[in-house]
Amino acid sequence: EHGLTRYSVMSLFIPNTYEFYWNTRLDKFMGSMISEYSEFWNKDRLNKAQQQDMKPVEVSVLASIIQKETIKQDEMSRIAGVYINRLRMGMKLQADPTIKFLIRNRKVYRVYRGDLDISSAYNTYQNYGLPPGPICMPYISSIDAVLNAEKHNYLYFCAESDLSGYHVFSRTYQQHSKYAEQYRRALNKRDIK
């Protein structure tokens, strides 16, 4: 009744502080969550989502990817801009966090070429557009990063080879390949598998 599927229902829950008692009934809990969701998606946020040509659930899906992509708050809106540029151009997102989401039998420090063969609607290396639902429960800051995505011409980004947690951004695949090779060498040097 709220336009959500079993894949996208996680976008209904806005991370915040709530008070519930141990005997709270499911319908009361869900009513509170729906009310919070409606309050959160106010006119300003809905307008910003519309400017990005996205529905709130799509914003949450992209925000979940960005949240798993970086821990650096000051980069989130730039990364959101990269993914939005790709979506608008009809490019695949090729987001490593969606692959890590699919790998359940090992701790993932790096994504290997063989990992990209996993057949799933969440595999953004195989499929165009957004996955069917969030890969985690995105924070408000991640959602707002999508709504306030940086406008630029970047199409690629790669983790910095200094392993600082920051990324380098590129407009061309040639630039990106150079940065990706530097990052791979840094991981190999530290024997990160």
Side-chain angles (χ1 to χ4, degrees):
E1 69 185 82
H2 299 287
L4 300 169
T5 67
R6 66 185 179 123
Y7 302 107
S8 62
V9 71
M10 195 183 324
S11 63
L12 175 68
F13 305 104
I14 307 298
N16 211 333
T17 302
Y18 305 98
E19 185 175 301
F20 291 101
Y21 295 100
W22 68 270
N23 60 349
T24 300
R25 292 190 343 251
L26 179 60
D27 61 332
K28 185 167 175 13
F29 170 76
M30 288 304 292
S32 294
M33 294 297 97
I34 291 164
S35 175
E36 179 74 17
Y37 180 85
S38 298
E39 248 181 73
F40 178 81
W41 285 104
N42 57 30
K43 192 173 247 181
D44 182 48
R45 282 194 174 101
L46 288 172
N47 286 338
K48 286 180 178 183
Q50 190 173 26
Q51 288 169 11
Q52 300 293 12
D53 198 27
M54 298 175 99
K55 297 177 180 132
V57 68
E58 294 170 319
V59 171
S60 291
V61 171
L62 184 54
S64 73
I65 294 170
I66 290 161
Q67 184 169 307
K68 291 296 186 177
E69 194 73 71
T70 185
I71 58 169
K72 305 295 185 182
Q73 294 287 319
D74 56 338
E75 271 193 340
M76 286 186 167
S77 64
R78 180 168 294 151
I79 290 173
V82 170
Y83 285 134
I84 288 170
N85 288 344
R86 285 176 159 244
L87 287 168
R88 288 183 178 152
M89 292 180 69
M91 291 177 69
K92 292 177 182 170
L93 293 183
Q94 297 183 325
D96 287 358
T98 63
I99 303 301
K100 290 179 178 181
F101 174 76
L102 294 172
I103 300 170
R104 301 186 190 274
N105 62 346
R106 66 176 164 93
K107 184 100 171 122
V108 182
Y109 296 103
R110 16 184 346 174
V111 172
Y112 294 97
R113 289 202 190 281
D115 298 330
L116 307 181
D117 295 332
I118 299 170
S119 182
S120 169
Y122 284 88
N123 187 333
T124 57
Y125 279 84
Q126 293 179 350
N127 304 297
Y128 290 92
L130 293 167
I135 60 172
C136 69
M137 192 179 299
Y139 299 143
I140 292 171
S141 57
S142 304
I143 293 169
D144 285 341
V146 174
L147 295 175
N148 299 295
E150 215 177 89
K151 292 181 183 359
H152 52 60
N153 295 320
Y154 296 125
L155 291 174
Y156 305 93
F157 62 96
C158 179
E160 285 270 12
S161 59
D162 64 2
L163 305 183
S164 63
Y166 280 99
H167 295 80
V168 285
F169 295 81
S170 309
R171 290 178 176 84
T172 67
Y173 184 72
Q174 290 76 18
Q175 283 178 314
H176 172 69
S177 295
K178 182 181 84 173
Y179 294 133
E181 182 55 34
Q182 290 171 356
Y183 179 64
R184 277 190 291 275
R185 273 189 260 133
L187 292 177
N188 291 340
K189 185 177 178 183
R190 290 166 179 81
D191 200 30
I192 298 173
K193 301 206 184 293

